[in-house]
């Protein structure tokens, strides 16, 4: 960690020597903010560089002290700091098991190993699979050992959703295996991915605003495809949601029982097209005609009351991916800074707000994902902010933790970088009006996502909230007294709804700013503090709304007024000094920047006003958990080994005779210990049989856990701040006799 030190409770690194310039292949950004929270069925290979961030090696930075929490149907693997989160996850898993057992009409005949991580950065270090895990993977079910591996992102509702999603995969895999074996069919086929992921979504979550946004855009932009052409969107988030919508349509039109019958009938025909025909009476082609027409009837009429983003306001940036805008005004110049992707690598870009040509190139200010200092941006999670003096605050992954960077846009130089010992993942940032303090959300090792305030002069870090509620998107008020933020600490939070709150820096009190069964996010104060813009999914998709944070009417009511009426969605509003809003919009499956002028006039004349009763509110939801069967100390993880692969071969030759052997590979459940055995014999006669055995063995042990009975060999990982990173060193041992085994 050369050039860095630990003053107090955080790591501070000074300005680097420079940025490495490198252009690589185009990055595929086919997922959205929470679109990134959905899993792969299994990950078996390492993809191309465009799916990942800086570096070619998978590094295990953290030594985890693993424990096991046993419930009726699950073995929950977790580390000590996240005990409470693991117990909530255990409750969600058992809850999902009971529901899915009924839906599938099937029970699992083995216990399910459920491996939990408190953050995505920890999850990316897992050894349960060998390949890289990109930002877009929110969990996975691995077939070989039946393991389910899931991280938390601070949101309890999303954590519950992903657990249910992956357990649908577990039940489906077991159900199909049982159906095929009961009818003496070879287990050499599986349903198409649109059905696999569509069912996992259909039976794990409700249809939400992001699903609605994607489907509206796909239909109105004419990029939706039917079952016959599903390979055109294979593996994308659109495929997930199209699959969910297809199964919803089948359940409504033909009955809920048809969904299970598709699995029960799976053995009867080798083609899923024929299985669908047998179950609902329609082939892929016939179903496409019905479903695509139903989509047009559902979504085309929306254009009578809403608009596509390209028809509203002024376009600022239309090329590539663009999100999280912030405006910096100096003299007569107005620049918009945003997170973007143009070259295949995500970074921070700058463009003159008064540039009339939306196709004009934006300047790449911070080149990300090309050095270990800026390994990866979090473009759907972390907003950037800029102070009045021109100091840009942004977050990237850097080694074991996220890093908070301060960058001077007037000199185009990095000022300093902060990393905090106890904070793993950092979210959105917001400057105080004095330009000396920052507030941000962050996930600690326990998995809690709370608000923090950092004094950049004294380097004092203050924790503002401390509970299991998901607090995010903080925004400091212009008078410096309040912080607006989004949180699920409402009666509706357990179902994934978020309201806005005000944190009083003087008293520490938290008060409702908005209230209702909707998802309110991304608050942004106007420069004079008289208006607060935010996004809300009232009406089905996210649009920009405005409220007066100072005005509460008689009886304790407040109003929120809709400013945009987009058919898809608007995100991340940012104010200019003239009262203009710059925001992100979604159209043709891409994120673009545009602006809206005369916001005050729109606010005064809008007829879409929602009244919120702030006094007639219920108590916030409370988390439920299970504590397991016995004392925690009795379930420290000590290695659970099983066979991964076994293969044998025999050969005969008229000159060299007959020889044969076998290869065996086994590993522990967490993938930290891997053992390889080769048994070989070259005897030419019966007398030579015993003396001709050869049994070489090798082991690879990775850091990542503490075990009282750890086997003989352990290797260390190297994380160098200079010259990139190297993967953990592997050690091997070869023995000349099988009796000299290396297992404990």
């Amino acid at each position: 960690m050369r050039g860095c030190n630990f003053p107090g409770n955080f790591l501070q690194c000074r300005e680097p020597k420079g940025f490495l310039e490198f252009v690589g292949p185009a990055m595929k950004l086919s997922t959205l903010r929470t679109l990134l929270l959905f899993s792969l069925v299994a990950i078996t290979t390492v993809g191309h560089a465009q799916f990942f961030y800086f570096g070619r090696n998978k590094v295990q930075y953290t030594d985890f002290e693993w424990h096991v929490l046993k419930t009726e149907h699950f073995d929950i693997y977790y580390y000590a700091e996240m005990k409470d989160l693991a117990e909530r996850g255990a409750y969600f898993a058992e809850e999902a098991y009971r529901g899915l057992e009924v839906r599938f009409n099937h029970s699992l005949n083995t216990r399910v190993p459920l491996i939990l991580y408190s953050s995505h950065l920890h999850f990316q270090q897992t050894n349960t699979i060998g390949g890289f895990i990109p930002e877009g993977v929110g969990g996975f079910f691995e077939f070989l050992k039946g393991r389910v591996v899931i991280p938390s992102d601070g949101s309890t509702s999303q954590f519950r959703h992903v657990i249910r999603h992956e357990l649908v995969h577990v039940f489906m895999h077991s159900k199909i295996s049982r159906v095929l074996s009961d009818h003496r069919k070879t287990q050499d086929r599986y349903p198409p991915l649109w059905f696999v992921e569509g069912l996992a979504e259909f039976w794990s979550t409700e249809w939400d605003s992001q699903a609605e946004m994607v489907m509206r855009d796909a239909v109105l932009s004419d990029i939706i495809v039917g079952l016959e052409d599903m390979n055109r969107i294979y593996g994308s988030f659109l495929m997930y949601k199209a699959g969910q919508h297809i199964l919803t349509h089948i359940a409504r039109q033909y009955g809920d029982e048809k969904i299970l019958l598709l699995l029960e009938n799976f053995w009867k025909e080798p083609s899923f097209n024929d299985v669908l025909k047998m179950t609902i009476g329609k082939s892929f082609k016939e179903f496409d005609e019905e479903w695509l027409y139903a989509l047009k009837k559902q979504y085309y009429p929306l254009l009578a009351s809403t608009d596509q983003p390209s028809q509203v306001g002024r376009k600022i940036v239309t090329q590539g991916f663009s999100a999280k805008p912030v405006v910096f005004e100096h003299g007569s110049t107005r620049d918009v800074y945003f997170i973007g992707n143009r070259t295949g690598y995500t970074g921070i870009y700058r463009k003159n707000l008064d540039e009339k040509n939306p196709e004009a190139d934006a300047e790449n200010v911070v080149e990300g994902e090309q050095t270990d200092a800026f390994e990866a941006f979090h473009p759907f999670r972390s907003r950037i902010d800029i102070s009045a003096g021109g100091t840009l605050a942004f977050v990237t992954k850097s080694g074991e933790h996220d890093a908070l960077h301060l960058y001077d846009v007037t000199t185009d130089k990095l000022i300093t970088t902060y990393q905090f010992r106890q904070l793993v993942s950092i979210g959105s940032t917001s400057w105080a009006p004095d330009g000396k303090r920052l507030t941000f959300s962050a996930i600690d090792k326990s998995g809690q996502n709370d608000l923090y305030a950092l004094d950049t002069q004294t380097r004092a870090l203050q924790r503002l909230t401390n509970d299991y509620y998901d607090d995010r998107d903080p925004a400091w008020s212009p008078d410096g007294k309040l912080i607006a933020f989004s949180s699920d600490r409402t009666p509706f939070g357990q179902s994934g709804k978020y309201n806005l709150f005000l944190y009083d820096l003087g008293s520490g009190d938290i008060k409702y700013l908005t209230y209702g069964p909707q998802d309110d996010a991304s608050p942004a104060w106007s420069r004079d503090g008289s208006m607060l813009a935010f996004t809300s999914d009232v009406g089905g998709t996210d649009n920009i709304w405005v409220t007066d944070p100072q005005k509460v009417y008689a009886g304790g009511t407040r109003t929120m007024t809709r400013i945009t009426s987009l058919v898809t969605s608007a995100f991340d509003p940012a104010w200019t000094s003239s009262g203009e809003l710059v925001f992100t919009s979604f159209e043709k499956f891409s994120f673009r920047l545009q602006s809206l002028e005369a916001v005050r006039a729109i606010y005064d004349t809008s007829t879409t006003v929602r009244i919120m009763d702030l006094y007639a509110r219920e108590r916030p939801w409370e988390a439920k958990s299970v504590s397991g069967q016995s004392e925690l100390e009795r379930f420290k993880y000590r290695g659970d080994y099983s066979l991964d692969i076994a293969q044998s071969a025999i050969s005969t030759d008229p000159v060299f005779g007959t020889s044969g052997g076998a290869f065996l590979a086994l590993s522990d459940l967490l993938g930290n210990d891997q053992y390889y055995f080769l048994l070989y014999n070259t005897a030419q006669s019966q007398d030579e049989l015993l003396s001709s055995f050869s049994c070489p063995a090798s082991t690879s042990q990775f850091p990542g856990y503490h075990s009282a009975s750890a086997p003989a060999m352990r290797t260390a990982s190297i994380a160098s701040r200079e010259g990139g990173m190297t993967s953990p060193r592997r050690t091997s041992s070869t023995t000349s006799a099988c009796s000299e085994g290396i297992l404990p």
Side-chain angles (χ1 to χ4, degrees):
M1 306 290 275
R2 183 177 175 183
C4 307
N5 56 80
F6 282 94
N9 64 343
F10 57 93
L11 171 68
Q12 185 177 30
C13 302
R14 294 299 175 186
E15 177 187 350
K17 297 300 181 182
F19 301 121
L20 175 67
E21 295 184 1
F22 181 80
V23 177
M27 178 177 290
K28 295 183 179 179
L29 291 167
S30 60
T31 53
L32 314 174
R33 186 190 66 147
T34 309
L35 320 186
L36 300 178
L37 288 176
F38 300 99
S39 67
L40 304 178
V41 178
I43 302 172
T44 56
T45 59
V46 177
H48 296 294
Q50 68 263 29
F51 291 100
F52 307 102
Y53 41 83
F54 167 78
R56 298 182 61 85
N57 298 306
K58 183 175 180 178
V59 181
Q60 287 79 40
Y61 299 97
T62 310
D63 284 344
F64 299 109
E65 185 179 349
W66 288 99
H67 296 263
V68 185
L69 176 65
K70 291 184 178 291
T71 65
E72 183 179 357
H73 301 103
F74 298 90
D75 293 334
I76 314 289
Y77 295 81
Y78 67 99
Y79 36 95
E81 295 89 345
M82 56 175 295
K83 175 178 176 291
D84 292 342
L85 180 63
E87 291 180 355
R88 294 201 297 274
Y91 176 85
F92 295 143
E94 288 293 346
E95 175 190 53
Y97 188 100
R98 292 189 294 270
L100 295 175
E101 194 174 35
V102 174
R103 284 186 179 274
F104 280 94
N105 190 27
H106 177 74
S107 297
L108 303 179
N109 55 16
T110 59
R111 297 178 63 80
V112 180
L114 179 57
I115 304 170
L116 302 179
Y117 290 87
S118 65
S119 68
H120 199 275
L121 292 187
H122 284 170
F123 170 65
Q124 289 177 311
Q125 300 178 46
T126 185
N127 289 322
T128 53
I129 57 172
F132 286 95
I133 299 179
E135 290 270 332
V137 179
F140 60 85
F141 164 52
E142 177 267 333
F143 289 175
L144 189 63
K145 295 180 184 289
R147 295 169 291 192
V148 175
V149 187
I150 294 173
S152 170
D153 75 335
S155 168
T156 298
S157 61
Q158 283 294 348
F159 190 48
R160 176 177 179 266
H161 169 205
V162 178
I163 288 175
R164 293 179 65 87
H165 179 105
E166 299 307 332
L167 290 182
V168 173
H169 289 318
V170 175
F171 271 87
M172 184 192 300
H173 184 69
S174 178
K175 176 74 174 183
I176 289 174
S177 177
R178 180 62 182 268
V179 167
L180 293 176
S181 62
D182 283 352
H183 295 90
R184 300 182 180 180
K185 299 290 184 179
T186 57
Q187 298 185 30
D188 58 353
R189 51 194 161 115
Y190 214 67
L193 189 60
W194 68 262
F195 178 83
V196 171
E197 296 298 348
L199 185 63
E201 286 295 277
F202 182 55
W203 279 353
S204 69
T205 188
E206 300 293 330
W207 190 257
D208 59 19
S209 59
Q210 290 181 341
E212 184 71 5
M213 173 190 73
V214 170
M215 290 302 296
R216 287 184 182 187
D217 180 66
V219 174
L220 297 177
S221 299
D222 198 26
I223 58 177
I224 190 65
V225 297
L227 294 179
E228 286 196 309
D229 298 313
M230 196 61 72
N231 284 338
R232 289 169 51 190
I233 58 172
Y234 185 87
S236 68
F237 184 73
L238 177 56
M239 185 210 69
Y240 278 61
K241 290 305 169 183
Q244 182 183 358
H245 197 285
I246 287 169
L247 295 181
T248 302
H249 181 84
I250 291 174
R252 288 175 179 172
Q253 296 297 119
Y254 302 95
D256 286 327
E257 71 279 1
K258 299 299 184 182
I259 305 300
L260 182 59
L261 276 176
L262 286 169
L263 295 174
E264 299 281 6
N265 293 336
F266 185 66
W267 66 276
K268 295 181 179 180
E269 297 289 347
S271 167
F272 202 75
N273 180 40
D274 295 333
V275 173
L276 185 70
K277 176 77 172 180
M278 175 184 300
T279 305
I280 68 171
K282 292 189 176 181
S283 64
F284 280 3
K285 182 178 181 180
E286 293 168 327
F287 180 81
D288 285 348
E289 292 177 357
E290 173 188 308
W291 178 61
L292 293 175
Y293 181 66
L295 287 175
K296 293 176 182 178
K297 290 185 68 176
Q298 179 181 356
Y299 291 125
Y300 280 6
L302 294 176
L303 292 178
S305 57
T306 60
D307 292 299
Q308 291 184 300
S310 57
Q311 304 303 312
V312 176
R314 180 171 65 89
K315 301 175 185 176
I316 299 175
V317 181
T318 57
Q319 295 179 331
F321 164 83
S322 307
K324 309 296 182 184
V326 63
V327 178
F328 177 53
E329 302 181 31
H330 49 110
S332 59
T333 303
R334 303 192 305 166
D335 291 324
V336 57
Y337 290 81
F338 60 95
I339 298 176
N341 188 294
R342 300 292 182 276
T343 63
Y345 296 92
T346 305
I348 294 180
Y349 287 77
R350 171 172 55 205
K351 187 172 184 180
N352 190 299
L353 187 57
D354 297 313
E355 169 63 54
K356 302 301 182 183
N357 181 12
E359 303 294 332
D361 290 336
E363 179 186 359
N364 192 183
V365 178
V366 178
E367 297 178 346
E369 302 173 346
Q370 301 178 41
T371 69
D372 60 342
F374 308 131
E375 285 184 38
F377 281 84
H378 308 302
F380 299 101
R381 192 184 72 206
S382 298
R383 287 196 300 178
I384 62 178
D385 197 22
I386 193 166
S387 69
T391 301
L392 186 69
F394 63 94
V395 174
T396 68
K397 178 184 183 296
S398 183
E400 184 177 2
H401 302 271
D402 274 346
L404 173 61
H405 307 282
L406 303 185
Y407 185 92
D408 189 338
V409 300
T410 62
T411 61
D412 283 333
K413 290 184 178 180
L414 185 67
I415 300 171
T416 190
T417 294
Y418 301 96
Q419 283 185 287
F420 306 90
R421 286 184 175 182
Q422 298 302 318
L423 304 184
V424 181
S425 182
I426 302 176
S428 297
T429 63
S430 177
W431 280 105
D434 60 13
K436 300 176 182 178
R437 294 171 294 165
L438 271 170
T439 182
F440 56 86
S441 60
I443 299 175
D444 62 12
K445 291 183 179 180
S446 71
Q448 288 187 186
N449 193 26
D450 292 311
L451 301 183
Y452 295 82
L454 172 68
D455 190 314
T456 60
Q457 292 191 332
T458 65
R459 301 181 299 183
L461 181 67
Q462 178 186 4
R463 188 169 193 158
L464 303 180
T465 61
N466 187 3
D467 48 49
Y468 52 72
Y469 297 119
D470 183 21
D471 302 329
R472 55 180 62 193
D473 296 343
W476 218 307
S477 65
D479 62 8
K481 297 178 180 180
L482 302 170
I483 293 175
F485 66 99
S486 176
S487 178
D488 62 354
R489 56 177 68 237
T490 82
F492 321 102
Q494 202 160 13
S495 59
K497 303 303 181 181
Y498 286 68
N499 291 149
L500 298 185
F501 295 83
L502 291 175
Y503 181 91
D504 190 313
L505 288 158
S507 65
D509 292 339
I510 297 176
K511 297 180 180 180
Y512 277 94
L513 183 60
T514 65
Y515 183 79
Q518 71 264 358
D519 189 0
D520 302 329
S522 303
W525 298 84
S526 62
R527 298 297 174 92
D528 61 3
S530 64
M531 293 191 293
L532 187 135
F534 59 97
T535 62
S536 180
D537 66 356
V538 173
T541 58
D542 285 294
N543 269 286
I544 296 176
W545 295 66
V546 168
T547 187
D548 185 340
Q550 308 300 329
K551 183 178 291 186
V552 178
Y553 295 94
T557 60
R558 176 180 280 128
T559 61
M560 51 185 279
T561 303
R562 191 173 68 187
I563 300 301
T564 63
S565 297
L566 304 185
V567 71
T568 53
S569 283
F571 306 97
D572 310 319
W575 293 91
T576 68
S577 60
S578 62
E580 182 180 359
L581 276 176
V582 179
F583 60 94
T584 306
S585 62
F586 182 76
E587 187 175 2
K588 295 183 179 178
F589 223 74
S590 66
F591 291 89
R592 308 171 178 186
L593 296 188
Q594 56 190 95
S595 67
L596 188 66
E597 298 178 346
V599 174
R600 169 61 77 174
I602 298 173
Y603 174 75
D604 291 337
T605 58
S606 175
T607 58
T608 307
V609 179
R610 185 182 180 89
I611 300 175
M612 302 169 289
D613 188 345
L614 302 182
Y615 287 166
R617 59 181 185 269
E618 302 174 24
R619 291 178 57 83
W621 62 276
E622 295 182 358
K624 298 179 180 179
S625 66
V626 295
S627 57
Q629 295 175 335
S630 301
E631 293 296 328
L632 183 62
E633 292 299 320
R634 298 186 185 183
F635 294 99
K636 283 188 176 180
Y637 178 72
R638 296 182 181 275
D640 183 7
Y641 297 87
S642 61
L643 189 66
D644 293 337
I645 186 172
Q647 186 175 7
S648 62
I650 188 169
S651 64
T652 184
D653 185 271
V655 177
F656 297 102
T658 301
S659 62
F663 171 77
L664 300 168
L666 60 89
S667 64
D668 76 313
L669 190 130
L670 294 176
N672 295 322
D673 287 335
Q674 300 170 11
Y675 296 93
Y676 308 93
F677 301 91
L678 179 63
L679 179 65
Y680 203 76
N681 195 297
T682 57
Q684 300 299 306
S685 65
Q686 185 175 358
D687 294 339
E688 298 175 351
L689 182 64
L690 294 178
S691 61
S692 299
F693 268 110
S694 177
C695 184
S698 65
T699 175
S700 295
Q701 188 177 59
F702 299 92
Y705 78 101
H706 295 297
S707 173
S709 60
M713 297 184 185
R714 181 175 176 84
T715 63
S717 65
I718 302 173
S720 172
R721 300 294 289 189
E722 298 178 283
M725 298 175 292
T726 65
S727 59
R729 293 193 299 267
R730 294 173 180 248
T731 61
S732 62
S733 172
T734 303
T735 60
S736 58
C738 294
S739 59
E740 301 177 27
I742 57 177
L743 285 176

Coordinates of all heavy atoms in Angstrom, one line a residue, residues 99-127:
G99 N -43.0 -21.8 0.7 CA -43.9 -21.4 -0.4 C -43.6 -22.1 -1.7 O -44.5 -22.6 -2.4
L100 N -42.3 -22.3 -2.0 CA -41.9 -23.0 -3.2 C -42.2 -24.5 -3.2 O -42.4 -25.1 -4.2 CB -40.4 -22.8 -3.5 CG -40.0 -21.3 -3.8 CD1 -38.5 -21.2 -3.9 CD2 -40.7 -20.8 -5.0
E101 N -42.2 -25.1 -2.0 CA -42.5 -26.5 -1.8 C -43.9 -26.7 -2.3 O -44.2 -27.7 -3.0 CB -42.4 -26.9 -0.4 CG -42.4 -28.4 -0.1 CD -42.1 -28.7 1.3 OE1 -42.5 -27.9 2.2 OE2 -41.4 -29.7 1.6
V102 N -44.8 -25.8 -2.1 CA -46.2 -25.9 -2.5 C -46.3 -25.6 -4.0 O -47.0 -26.3 -4.8 CB -47.1 -24.9 -1.7 CG1 -48.5 -24.9 -2.3 CG2 -47.1 -25.3 -0.2
R103 N -45.6 -24.5 -4.5 CA -45.7 -24.1 -5.9 C -45.2 -25.3 -6.8 O -45.8 -25.5 -7.9 CB -44.9 -22.9 -6.1 CG -45.6 -21.6 -5.6 CD -44.8 -20.4 -6.1 NE -45.5 -19.1 -5.7 CZ -46.4 -18.5 -6.3 NH1 -46.8 -19.0 -7.5 NH2 -46.9 -17.3 -5.9
F104 N -44.1 -25.9 -6.4 CA -43.5 -26.9 -7.3 C -44.1 -28.3 -7.0 O -43.8 -29.2 -7.8 CB -42.0 -27.0 -7.1 CG -41.2 -25.9 -7.8 CD1 -40.9 -24.7 -7.2 CD2 -40.8 -26.1 -9.1 CE1 -40.2 -23.8 -7.8 CE2 -40.1 -25.2 -9.8 CZ -39.8 -24.0 -9.1
N105 N -44.9 -28.4 -6.0 CA -45.4 -29.7 -5.6 C -44.3 -30.7 -5.4 O -44.3 -31.8 -6.0 CB -46.5 -30.2 -6.6 CG -47.2 -31.5 -6.1 OD1 -47.3 -31.7 -4.9 ND2 -47.6 -32.3 -7.0
H106 N -43.3 -30.3 -4.7 CA -42.0 -31.0 -4.7 C -41.2 -30.6 -3.5 O -41.2 -29.5 -3.0 CB -41.2 -30.7 -6.0 CG -39.8 -31.3 -6.0 ND1 -39.7 -32.7 -6.3 CD2 -38.6 -30.8 -5.9 CE1 -38.4 -33.0 -6.3 NE2 -37.7 -31.9 -6.0
S107 N -40.5 -31.6 -2.9 CA -39.7 -31.4 -1.7 C -38.2 -31.7 -2.1 O -38.0 -32.7 -2.8 CB -40.1 -32.2 -0.5 OG -41.4 -31.8 -0.1
L108 N -37.3 -31.0 -1.6 CA -35.9 -31.3 -1.8 C -35.5 -32.4 -0.9 O -35.9 -32.5 0.3 CB -35.0 -30.0 -1.5 CG -35.4 -28.8 -2.3 CD1 -34.4 -27.6 -1.9 CD2 -35.3 -29.0 -3.8
N109 N -34.6 -33.3 -1.4 CA -34.2 -34.4 -0.6 C -32.8 -34.2 0.0 O -32.3 -35.1 0.7 CB -34.2 -35.7 -1.4 CG -33.4 -35.6 -2.7 OD1 -32.5 -34.7 -2.8 ND2 -33.6 -36.5 -3.6
T110 N -32.2 -33.1 -0.1 CA -31.0 -32.7 0.5 C -31.0 -31.3 1.1 O -31.9 -30.5 0.7 CB -29.8 -32.8 -0.5 OG1 -30.0 -31.8 -1.6 CG2 -29.6 -34.2 -1.1
R111 N -30.1 -31.1 2.1 CA -30.0 -29.8 2.6 C -29.4 -28.8 1.6 O -28.6 -29.3 0.8 CB -29.2 -29.8 3.9 CG -29.9 -30.6 5.0 CD -29.0 -30.7 6.3 NE -28.8 -29.3 6.8 CZ -29.7 -28.7 7.6 NH1 -30.8 -29.4 7.9 NH2 -29.5 -27.5 8.1
V112 N -29.7 -27.6 1.7 CA -29.2 -26.6 0.7 C -28.1 -25.7 1.4 O -28.4 -25.1 2.4 CB -30.3 -25.7 0.2 CG1 -29.7 -24.6 -0.8 CG2 -31.4 -26.5 -0.5
P113 N -26.9 -25.8 0.9 CA -25.8 -24.9 1.4 C -26.0 -23.5 0.8 O -26.1 -23.2 -0.4 CB -24.5 -25.5 0.9 CG -24.9 -26.3 -0.3 CD -26.3 -26.7 -0.1
L114 N -26.2 -22.5 1.7 CA -26.5 -21.1 1.3 C -25.3 -20.3 1.9 O -25.2 -20.1 3.1 CB -27.8 -20.7 1.9 CG -28.3 -19.2 1.7 CD1 -28.3 -18.9 0.2 CD2 -29.6 -19.0 2.3
I115 N -24.5 -19.7 1.0 CA -23.3 -19.0 1.3 C -23.6 -17.5 1.2 O -24.0 -17.0 0.1 CB -22.1 -19.4 0.5 CG1 -21.9 -20.9 0.6 CG2 -20.9 -18.6 0.9 CD1 -20.8 -21.4 -0.4
L116 N -23.5 -16.7 2.2 CA -23.9 -15.3 2.2 C -22.7 -14.4 2.4 O -21.8 -14.7 3.1 CB -24.9 -15.0 3.3 CG -26.2 -15.9 3.3 CD1 -27.1 -15.5 4.5 CD2 -27.0 -15.7 2.0
Y117 N -22.8 -13.3 1.7 CA -21.8 -12.2 1.8 C -22.5 -10.9 2.2 O -23.6 -10.7 1.7 CB -21.0 -12.1 0.6 CG -20.0 -13.2 0.3 CD1 -20.5 -14.3 -0.4 CD2 -18.7 -13.2 0.7 CE1 -19.6 -15.4 -0.7 CE2 -17.8 -14.2 0.4 CZ -18.3 -15.3 -0.3 OH -17.5 -16.4 -0.5
S118 N -21.8 -10.1 2.9 CA -22.5 -8.8 3.4 C -22.4 -7.7 2.4 O -23.0 -6.7 2.5 CB -21.9 -8.4 4.7 OG -20.5 -8.0 4.6
S119 N -21.6 -7.9 1.3 CA -21.5 -6.9 0.3 C -21.1 -7.5 -1.0 O -20.5 -8.6 -1.1 CB -20.5 -5.8 0.7 OG -19.2 -6.3 0.7
H120 N -21.3 -6.8 -2.1 CA -20.9 -7.3 -3.4 C -19.4 -7.4 -3.6 O -18.9 -8.3 -4.3 CB -21.5 -6.5 -4.6 CG -21.5 -7.2 -5.9 ND1 -20.5 -7.2 -6.7 CD2 -22.5 -7.9 -6.5 CE1 -20.8 -7.9 -7.8 NE2 -22.1 -8.3 -7.7
L121 N -18.6 -6.5 -3.0 CA -17.2 -6.6 -3.0 C -16.6 -7.9 -2.4 O -15.7 -8.5 -2.9 CB -16.6 -5.4 -2.4 CG -16.8 -4.0 -3.1 CD1 -16.0 -2.9 -2.4 CD2 -16.5 -4.1 -4.6
H122 N -17.2 -8.3 -1.3 CA -16.9 -9.5 -0.7 C -17.3 -10.7 -1.5 O -16.5 -11.7 -1.7 CB -17.5 -9.7 0.7 CG -16.8 -8.8 1.8 ND1 -17.4 -8.6 3.0 CD2 -15.7 -8.1 1.8 CE1 -16.6 -7.9 3.7 NE2 -15.5 -7.5 3.0
F123 N -18.5 -10.6 -2.1 CA -19.0 -11.7 -3.0 C -18.1 -11.9 -4.2 O -17.9 -13.1 -4.6 CB -20.4 -11.2 -3.4 CG -21.0 -12.0 -4.5 CD1 -21.4 -13.4 -4.3 CD2 -21.3 -11.4 -5.7 CE1 -22.0 -14.1 -5.3 CE2 -21.9 -12.1 -6.7 CZ -22.3 -13.5 -6.5
Q124 N -17.5 -10.9 -4.7 CA -16.6 -11.0 -5.8 C -15.3 -11.8 -5.5 O -14.6 -12.2 -6.4 CB -16.3 -9.6 -6.4 CG -17.4 -9.0 -7.1 CD -17.1 -7.6 -7.6 OE1 -16.5 -6.7 -6.9 NE2 -17.4 -7.3 -8.8
Q125 N -15.0 -12.0 -4.2 CA -13.8 -12.7 -3.8 C -14.1 -14.2 -3.6 O -13.2 -14.9 -3.3 CB -13.3 -12.1 -2.5 CG -12.9 -10.7 -2.6 CD -12.4 -10.1 -1.3 OE1 -11.5 -10.8 -0.6 NE2 -12.8 -9.0 -0.9
T126 N -15.3 -14.6 -3.8 CA -15.7 -16.0 -3.5 C -14.8 -17.0 -4.3 O -14.5 -16.8 -5.5 CB -17.2 -16.3 -3.8 OG1 -17.5 -17.6 -3.4 CG2 -17.5 -16.1 -5.2
N127 N -14.5 -18.1 -3.7 CA -13.8 -19.2 -4.4 C -14.7 -20.3 -4.8 O -14.2 -21.4 -5.3 CB -12.7 -19.8 -3.4 CG -11.6 -18.8 -3.3 OD1 -11.2 -18.1 -4.2 ND2 -11.0 -18.7 -2.1

